[in-house]
Amino acid sequence: MRRHLRMLGIFGATSLTALAMISTAQAQVAKQLSGQGGTSAVSAATATPMLPTLNAAPREALADAKMTLASPGKMRIVQGNAGPKVAMEAGAADDGTSIGTMNYGLNNLNTFYHYSDYLVSSKLRNDAPHRYTGWFVFTYPGGAQFRCTASLISKSIAVTAGHCVHQGGGGSSRFITSGTYYPAYRDGPSTTFGSASANYVVTTGGWANTGALDQGYDVGIVVLNKRAGTSQEIGTNTGWFGFCASNCLQNYWSLSQLGYPGNYYAGTKLTQGEHIERSDSRDYVYGSGMQGGSSGGPHVANIGALVDSSSSLGQWPYRNIVFGVTSWGYVDERLKIQGASSLSGPGNANNFTAMYNLACTRARALHGAASCSLL
């Protein structure tokens, strides 16, 4: 079985003018985009969904795909009834054609790679935490445009996949040339939250120097200019996710995946996946039906809001925390398995704290000290 990583993303028209590189192999690499404001000259309508694929499947993933639980016997399924079609409530929007019968993937049933993907309701578009996630449209050197998924983790800092800010390998010449972030994207940019162009991008030394997939370092950060047409930072009205800065690659973790995959609703609507994710010692691997366009989407622990009146909030009570970003998928789409790079990388090799501080320093220079706090 063969797999490959697909990359998602579109970047704008401004050019990167300055480069800062740390000498160690896994250190962060950054590039400044020219221009201090406005939107990039990109066409979101023509952007190509992108997701990289691996040519050889890691043996851990293939072995785990066969680690089934004891068979409960043949299932008996009783279908429900959707009921009659009724008029929509005032202010509600029609989500359009629903996703058909799910294909959970070759041999995925009753394994760790079983998953549940679903359309995020239109009523949640402008609600926290889903509004923190949106389209990121960018341009690679040479002019090819792509789109990824990205999410705010500060007022003007978004996290995405490394391949959404850098082509992978080859060093500084392979950074994107421009990009635009659209929070709460749904069938077009949100008129409530607008957009912001990219000013500065950061990725890991591992991704910039080698571009190898399933190695744990496909992580990128984007520092954004002010919201287009305003003097405000884009996250002032949206809010932003919390994030894991170290020891993020756990053996097993329950995470929610957000993304704009091109195979669901042509990538125009936010979709969500639920699954248990396991470490292959480099990345998280998990079941997913998402394809190109989902790259860079956040993997969030304890997504949403919950009021708990019990005296004990459990062993891990923190909510809406990003642990990783979607990175790759299989060439053989029947497998329905993806991988996500944790923010910190295996053994904290990505040094995400330094990556974030580099981005925060740039954001503070652009927007003032209140833009973010150094870690």
Side-chain angles (χ1 to χ4, degrees), residues 20-22 24 26-30 202-205 350-351 354-355 358:
M21 182 180 294
I22 309 303
T24 56
Q26 289 296 81
Q28 64 275 14
V29 181
V202 185
T203 191
T204 64
N350 291 346
N351 197 355
M355 290 179 65
L358 189 62

Side-chain angles (χ1 to χ4, degrees), residues 60-72 75 104-116 252 274-278 285-288 330 334-338:
E60 297 95 329
L62 290 180
D64 199 40
K66 301 181 184 303
M67 290 174 56
T68 58
L69 305 176
S71 175
M75 290 181 288
Y104 294 105
L106 185 66
N107 299 324
N108 281 7
L109 189 63
N110 212 28
T111 72
F112 286 111
Y113 296 124
H114 189 78
Y115 67 92
S116 179
Y252 298 95
E274 303 295 340
H275 35 242
I276 298 294
E277 304 190 15
R278 71 177 296 273
V285 288
Y286 52 92
S288 177
Y330 273 95
R334 296 176 302 165
L335 293 177
K336 306 295 185 188
I337 296 173
Q338 285 189 336

Side-chain angles (χ1 to χ4, degrees), residues 53-140:
T53 56
L54 226 70
N55 288 329
R59 62 182 180 273
E60 297 95 329
L62 290 180
D64 199 40
K66 301 181 184 303
M67 290 174 56
T68 58
L69 305 176
S71 175
K74 184 175 177 60
M75 290 181 288
R76 179 187 177 190
I77 303 298
V78 179
Q79 296 285 0
N81 189 315
K85 185 175 179 62
V86 297
M88 289 188 296
E89 298 177 8
D94 190 349
D95 283 326
T97 305
S98 62
I99 297 173
T101 302
M102 295 302 298
N103 172 5
Y104 294 105
L106 185 66
N107 299 324
N108 281 7
L109 189 63
N110 212 28
T111 72
F112 286 111
Y113 296 124
H114 189 78
Y115 67 92
S116 179
D117 289 347
Y118 58 92
L119 174 66
V120 174
S121 169
S122 60
K123 294 184 177 181
L124 294 177
R125 172 182 181 177
N126 289 342
D127 288 351
H130 292 87
R131 68 190 183 198
Y132 311 156
T133 297
W135 268 30
F136 182 60
V137 179
F138 62 90
T139 302
Y140 270 158

Side-chain angles (χ1 to χ4, degrees), residues 4-355:
H4 64 90
L5 295 182
R6 292 179 297 180
M7 297 167 58
L8 302 172
I10 301 171
F11 216 74
T14 55
S15 61
L16 297 174
T17 57
L19 176 69
M21 182 180 294
I22 309 303
S23 59
T24 56
Q26 289 296 81
Q28 64 275 14
V29 181
K31 188 175 183 179
Q32 179 182 334
L33 298 173
S34 64
Q36 300 301 311
T39 57
S40 301
V42 295
S43 173
T46 61
T48 303
M50 194 173 182
L51 182 68
T53 56
L54 226 70
N55 288 329
R59 62 182 180 273
E60 297 95 329
L62 290 180
D64 199 40
K66 301 181 184 303
M67 290 174 56
T68 58
L69 305 176
S71 175
K74 184 175 177 60
M75 290 181 288
R76 179 187 177 190
I77 303 298
V78 179
Q79 296 285 0
N81 189 315
K85 185 175 179 62
V86 297
M88 289 188 296
E89 298 177 8
D94 190 349
D95 283 326
T97 305
S98 62
I99 297 173
T101 302
M102 295 302 298
N103 172 5
Y104 294 105
L106 185 66
N107 299 324
N108 281 7
L109 189 63
N110 212 28
T111 72
F112 286 111
Y113 296 124
H114 189 78
Y115 67 92
S116 179
D117 289 347
Y118 58 92
L119 174 66
V120 174
S121 169
S122 60
K123 294 184 177 181
L124 294 177
R125 172 182 181 177
N126 289 342
D127 288 351
H130 292 87
R131 68 190 183 198
Y132 311 156
T133 297
W135 268 30
F136 182 60
V137 179
F138 62 90
T139 302
Y140 270 158
Q145 293 184 334
F146 299 91
R147 62 176 173 84
C148 282
T149 302
S151 302
L152 288 170
I153 56 173
S154 188
K155 283 184 181 179
S156 293
I157 298 174
V159 67
T160 188
H163 67 256
C164 302
V165 301
H166 188 286
Q167 287 178 298
S172 60
S173 65
R174 308 265 290 174
F175 275 103
I176 62 175
T177 57
S178 61
T180 304
Y181 169 65
Y182 303 90
Y185 188 98
R186 188 180 183 87
D187 299 320
S190 168
T191 56
T192 302
F193 302 116
S195 65
S197 60
N199 178 278
Y200 190 77
V201 293
V202 185
T203 191
T204 64
W207 180 256
N209 293 328
T210 71
L213 296 171
D214 188 32
Q215 296 302 310
Y217 43 57
D218 188 14
V219 177
I221 292 178
V222 183
V223 179
L224 299 162
N225 290 309
K226 296 282 197 307
R227 174 182 170 182
T230 78
S231 60
Q232 286 188 323
E233 295 181 72
I234 191 75
T236 300
N237 294 322
T238 61
W240 53 88
F241 283 114
F243 59 91
C244 172
S246 62
N247 300 316
C248 309
L249 187 62
Q250 299 292 312
N251 290 332
Y252 298 95
W253 209 252
S254 178
L255 297 168
S256 300
Q257 175 190 14
L258 298 178
Y260 290 89
N263 57 311
Y264 292 163
Y265 312 104
T268 63
K269 304 178 192 296
L270 184 65
T271 57
Q272 183 165 330
E274 303 295 340
H275 35 242
I276 298 294
E277 304 190 15
R278 71 177 296 273
S279 167
D280 65 0
S281 78
R282 301 172 300 279
D283 282 330
Y284 277 118
V285 288
Y286 52 92
S288 177
M290 298 190 194
Q291 297 180 9
S294 63
S295 281
H299 290 244
V300 185
N302 293 351
I303 195 168
L306 179 69
V307 176
D308 187 351
S309 60
S310 62
S311 58
S312 173
L313 297 181
Q315 294 183 358
W316 208 86
Y318 311 105
R319 303 204 68 83
N320 300 311
I321 305 297
V322 177
F323 270 69
V325 290
T326 301
S327 174
W328 53 260
Y330 273 95
V331 171
D332 186 345
E333 294 181 353
R334 296 176 302 165
L335 293 177
K336 306 295 185 188
I337 296 173
Q338 285 189 336
S341 288
S342 68
L343 299 189
S344 62
N348 295 314
N350 291 346
N351 197 355
F352 192 76
T353 296
M355 290 179 65

